[in-house]
Each structure stands twice: as structure tokens, then as C-alpha cells.
Amino acid sequence: MQVLSFCHRTGARCSLPGLIVFFITCSVHKLQSAHFKVVGPDQPVTATVGEEFVLPCHLSPRLSAENMEVTWFRSQLSPFVHRYSDGKDQYGQQMPEYQGRTELLKDGLTSGSVALRIFSIRPSDEGQYSCFVQDGIDYEETLLELNVAASGSAPHISVEDYQEGGIRLVCRSSGWYPEPEVLWRDPSGQHLPSLSGTNSQEVNELFEIENSIIITENSHKNLSCVVRNTHTNHQKESTLFYISDAFFPMTNPWMVALCVILVVLAGFIGLTIYLFKIKGVTTKETLTLDPDTAHPQLVLFEEWKSVRRRDTWQDLDNNPERFEYERCVLGCEGFTSGRHYWEVEVGGGEYWAVGVARESVKRKGEIIFETEEGIWAVGYWGSQYLAATSPRFPLFLKWVPRRIRVYLDYEVGQVAFFDADRGVLIFAFPPSFFAGERIHPWLWVWDTESQLRLCP
């Protein structure tokens, strides 16, 4: 490295005679005045994307470097990352990607520190750097390795579709560098083999991951997706706590065969009995909205199955059941046992939510939409689909749902939401304890363009 630096610095042609002169000069120079060394870290250092970072480098012994020439570079002296000479910074031949992003820490020059600060670290900053210091004809340099790391978003687990007799779960996360490691774990911490994985590098050089796994009715249902940074070992984890048996496809091969046999042997009577039993597991409800709970700006129509907001307030009694601040309404029906589901047609508007609420949910004053307040819901807030958790959990949907199916398993404490047209799970809340309290359908409409409708 010093040979190349010498050739570049002096402009000499590095032929054999030139190299001989270089080595003789170095030998004489070292014998006469090798009065300092340049020292850097002997292990790679790690910087975080978007933050500033100081590349450490100093003279040994700690001589003043105020009147020396200091150059930081990658693979060649020119263009350079940063240069300091004649008592000031020199930017004439600086690499374009570092312009406006570097600063030599001059406060440390008198004590021999020639550290370089780089602002707004980028993935492309990763690699080898040289700290080159020259004092007259005396010069030394050291090499150091910079790793760059970024920890992305918390992984999001979603149910995509039914596949191979089970449910395909997909784990997604973005904003990682370098390319992260993705692991699936069961409740005991054991790693599970994934079905497939794709990692793509985005425009900002960060990685976006997508990894899938298939679970069956008899396999582990409490799964965690872990995304780990290989430079820092920092990881982020999300867990899908519970998937009810009712989520798994009922039409697996042996049940299809059973249905065919029933049709052949017993005709339509046997098939009808079979379908009745299946339907009895989970009841599809026909619901209406309770006008005594509706906020005064909410208008119920279509026999109390649809709701919209209008600008004017209706002259209604402010009874204890009525929502006073939030534009909410409950369903007339409530549940204290069993499995139930109903569907809500969503259309237009930018602020709405559907779900369930405890009968004791707060009616007066501002309400926080979260399970601690007795509300389990998903909705659309301005520009993004979210689950009403604390904090809000973003839902990365591939399509715009037209009808949302709300699923309630009272005994298990499970509340889940499906795209009713595609049969795909949108979000499932961790199991809750309802403690015998009645659970009602719940709707929220904030803007006048939104309309929610209970499907018959």
C-alpha cells in the first residue's frame, strides 16, 4: 500500500529503477527519522445507517498533527474521502458521494488524533479505509474496516392462503442492512424449516425480506418470526400467538372423499345432515345496529344495518348507552358463549373501523381503540390499514377488502378478521379473557364519505 501511495503522491513511474530508489529512500528515511506511527482499530468497526460515525485514527506517540497532511481514502489517494493540509480542509478532488458528509475532528489534532466523522451513514460507505498521515517526507498509514448495519421494521406475520393442507404464513420486514437472517421458531425456541424466502434490495440499498412457512392443524400454532442483523446480532421478533382450529381448511382430501361417499350412499339427506353439522360449529349471525348506542352524528338506515356520519347532530337523548364523543355504534346482539361470525361491507371514506367491544366499553368522552379499553378492531386510518393495538399495528394488504368477516370464539377469547371474498386472514388478536361479559359487534365511522353495512 505504501509503494502505491508513494508512486501516486510523487507522480513517479513505478518501474524497477523507481522501486529501487523508493526502497533505498525508505530505508535511509527509517534509519534517520521514523518518529511516528499511525494507529487504528485492529477489528472492524460498525456504523448505523442514517447516523453519524467517527472513524478512529491517531498518531503514536501522540504528536500534534496540526501542520501535517492527513488524507482519508478508500482504494486510492485521489479522489479521496477527505483531505486536510496547510491547516485546513481541502475539497478539490473529494469523492462525490462524500461531499458535504465528512469532517476531520480538529479538536483532537494537537493530541495526535486524526479521526474522521462521516455524517448520514449509507450502506455504500461499507468497506476498507486508509488513514494516511504525512509530515514532510515522513509518512505512515493504517487500514481499518467499516461495517454498516441497519435494523429494519418489526416483522409482520400474515396469513396468505391455504396450501398443502395447511395455512401459509408469510413474514415480512424491510429496512435491513446487510441482508438479514430470517428464522421461524416454535414456542420452545426450536428453529423450523421455512417454505421459501425472497430478499430484495430497495432503492435506498436496504433489504426487504419475505419468508413463508406452512403450518397444519396438528403442527405448532404459536410461531415466531425472527429477523437478525448479521453484523450486530440485533434481532426483531414477532409472534403469532394463536390460530383457532376453525381457521384451517375443512376441505382436505379425506373430507372431500367422505362427502362423495355420503352423497352416493345417502343422497341429499345425508349431505344435508353433514352440512348442518359443519355449520353448527360456527354460527353466521344476522345482526342489526342498536340506535340507542349510536353517536348523534351517525345515521342508521336499511333497517338499522347500515351507518353513515353526517355533519349535523341529531336531537337525541343522551342516555348512558349512547357514545358521546367517538362516532361509534354497537350491534343489538351480544354474545357470552360460542363461535360466531358476521360480515361488514366497507366502502369509500378514509376513517373507519370494524370489530367487537365489551358491553362495558366507555361511552362518554374520548376512547382509545385498543384491547385494554375493551375494543378489538381493524380499520382504515387516512392512508393505511391498521389493527387497533397499542401502538397501532400496520396491515400490509395486497388488495382492498370489500367485505370484512369478523370472527369471535368466545371460549378461546379469539377475535380475528378475514377478507370475506378471498377467505384470507387479515389479522388475529392474541387470545383475551372475556370473563363472562357480553361482547357486541362494534363500528366506527369518522368521516362523512365512509359507510359501513352489516351484510345479511
Side-chain angles (χ1 to χ4, degrees):
M1 179 65 76
Q2 289 185 355
V3 173
L4 296 177
S5 301
F6 175 83
C7 294
H8 186 94
R9 180 175 56 84
T10 61
R13 297 179 60 188
C14 291
S15 59
L16 181 58
L19 291 176
I20 294 173
V21 171
F22 170 76
F23 283 118
I24 294 174
T25 302
C26 286
S27 299
V28 173
H29 172 64
K30 294 296 181 183
L31 288 174
Q32 292 178 346
S33 59
H35 68 283
F36 69 86
K37 290 185 177 180
V38 178
V39 180
D42 55 3
Q43 297 292 327
V45 292
T46 302
T48 302
V49 170
E51 298 182 2
E52 62 181 54
F53 187 79
V54 175
L55 297 177
C57 183
H58 68 270
L59 303 183
S60 180
R62 294 277 188 168
L63 305 174
S64 173
E66 283 185 299
N67 298 318
M68 298 183 184
E69 180 177 301
V70 180
T71 305
W72 283 88
F73 61 94
R74 299 292 295 266
S75 59
Q76 55 186 11
L77 277 173
S78 179
F80 49 78
V81 174
H82 192 95
R83 175 170 290 167
Y84 168 87
S85 65
D86 298 327
K88 59 183 180 180
D89 296 313
Q90 308 289 338
Y91 297 105
Q93 299 181 44
Q94 188 179 30
M95 297 173 67
E97 55 265 41
Y98 290 95
Q99 289 178 3
R101 297 177 53 230
T102 60
E103 174 191 22
L104 194 74
L105 302 186
K106 300 179 181 62
D107 290 345
L109 288 175
T110 56
S111 61
S113 175
V114 289
L116 180 73
R117 176 182 283 126
I118 302 178
F119 298 94
S120 187
I121 290 290
R122 305 169 181 173
S124 57
D125 294 334
E126 185 170 80
Q128 191 177 76
Y129 289 75
S130 176
C131 176
F132 182 93
V133 181
Q134 181 175 347
D135 184 19
I137 62 171
D138 194 14
Y139 63 91
E140 289 286 344
E141 66 181 324
T142 189
L143 302 177
L144 62 119
E145 189 76 21
L146 175 65
N147 290 334
V148 174
S151 293
S153 61
H156 170 68
I157 303 175
S158 61
V159 177
E160 293 295 300
D161 50 32
Y162 298 119
Q163 187 172 333
E164 300 179 9
I167 294 176
R168 186 169 71 94
L169 303 181
V170 176
C171 176
R172 294 184 178 90
S173 183
S174 60
W176 293 86
Y177 192 87
E179 187 172 353
E181 181 182 21
V182 183
L183 301 171
W184 290 93
R185 291 177 181 166
D186 65 16
S188 65
Q190 295 296 315
H191 294 171
L192 301 174
S194 61
L195 175 67
S196 63
T198 58
N199 296 351
S200 58
Q201 203 160 10
E202 304 167 8
V203 176
N204 57 4
E205 303 179 274
L206 303 181
F207 283 91
E208 182 179 51
I209 67 98
E210 181 175 304
N211 198 283
S212 61
I213 190 172
I214 292 179
I215 62 171
T216 60
E217 191 169 0
N218 298 321
S219 65
H220 301 288
K221 299 176 189 176
N222 294 13
L223 296 182
S224 297
C225 176
V226 180
V227 186
R228 186 175 69 88
N229 189 298
T230 55
H231 277 346
T232 63
N233 287 325
H234 181 257
Q235 64 184 37
K236 292 189 177 181
E237 178 176 353
S238 291
T239 301
L240 188 63
F241 290 99
Y242 180 81
I243 300 181
S244 171
D245 292 340
F247 294 175
F248 289 90
M250 300 296 291
T251 56
N252 50 50
W254 71 266
M255 290 197 71
V256 173
L258 177 60
C259 289
V260 173
I261 294 173
L262 288 173
V263 171
V264 173
L265 296 180
F268 292 105
I269 296 177
L271 180 58
T272 302
I273 294 173
Y274 171 76
L275 294 176
F276 177 79
K277 289 181 179 180
I278 294 298
K279 183 178 179 181
V281 173
T282 304
T283 305
K284 182 176 182 180
E285 303 295 340
T286 301
L287 306 175
T288 56
L289 299 173
D290 185 354
D292 290 335
T293 66
H295 184 276
Q297 282 187 288
L298 296 183
V299 179
L300 308 183
F301 54 99
E302 290 186 330
E303 298 181 344
W304 296 348
K305 292 187 180 297
S306 295
V307 58
R308 295 195 68 161
R309 175 184 170 174
R310 66 181 185 183
D311 292 330
T312 58
W313 289 58
Q314 303 175 82
D315 185 14
L316 301 173
D317 294 335
N318 188 19
N319 57 325
E321 294 81 16
R322 192 176 306 284
F323 288 96
E324 178 188 50
Y325 178 82
E326 296 292 353
R327 279 63 177 174
C328 304
V329 60
L330 296 180
C332 290
E333 297 76 13
F335 310 102
T336 57
S337 64
R339 291 175 173 176
H340 312 270
Y341 75 91
W342 56 94
E343 295 172 0
V344 182
E345 186 177 286
V346 298
E350 296 185 345
Y351 294 91
W352 54 263
V354 303
V356 301
R358 293 183 182 272
E359 193 165 74
S360 62
V361 67
K362 185 179 178 182
R363 312 294 177 95
K364 310 301 180 184
E366 188 173 359
I367 306 172
I368 300 175
F369 297 165
E370 58 183 30
T371 56
E372 286 75 10
E373 294 288 335
I375 294 175
W376 294 258
V378 299
Y380 192 70
W381 274 267
S383 61
Q384 189 173 17
Y385 290 95
L386 300 170
T389 58
S390 181
R392 296 280 187 263
F393 191 88
L395 304 174
F396 302 99
L397 306 184
K398 291 184 177 180
W399 45 75
V400 176
R402 187 179 65 89
R403 289 184 301 137
I404 293 179
R405 180 177 301 158
V406 184
Y407 173 87
L408 170 66
D409 187 332
Y410 193 95
E411 279 73 22
V412 175
Q414 180 79 67
V415 180
F417 300 86
F418 292 82
D419 184 317
D421 295 318
R422 295 172 175 82
V424 175
L425 181 67
I426 295 174
F427 185 80
F429 281 88
S432 300
F433 181 56
F434 298 139
E437 184 174 357
R438 190 173 297 275
I439 302 297
H440 290 265
W442 173 91
L443 302 178
W444 172 73
V445 180
W446 185 257
D447 61 315
T448 56
E449 288 76 25
S450 297
Q451 176 177 324
L452 301 177
R453 176 174 176 266
L454 295 172
C455 299

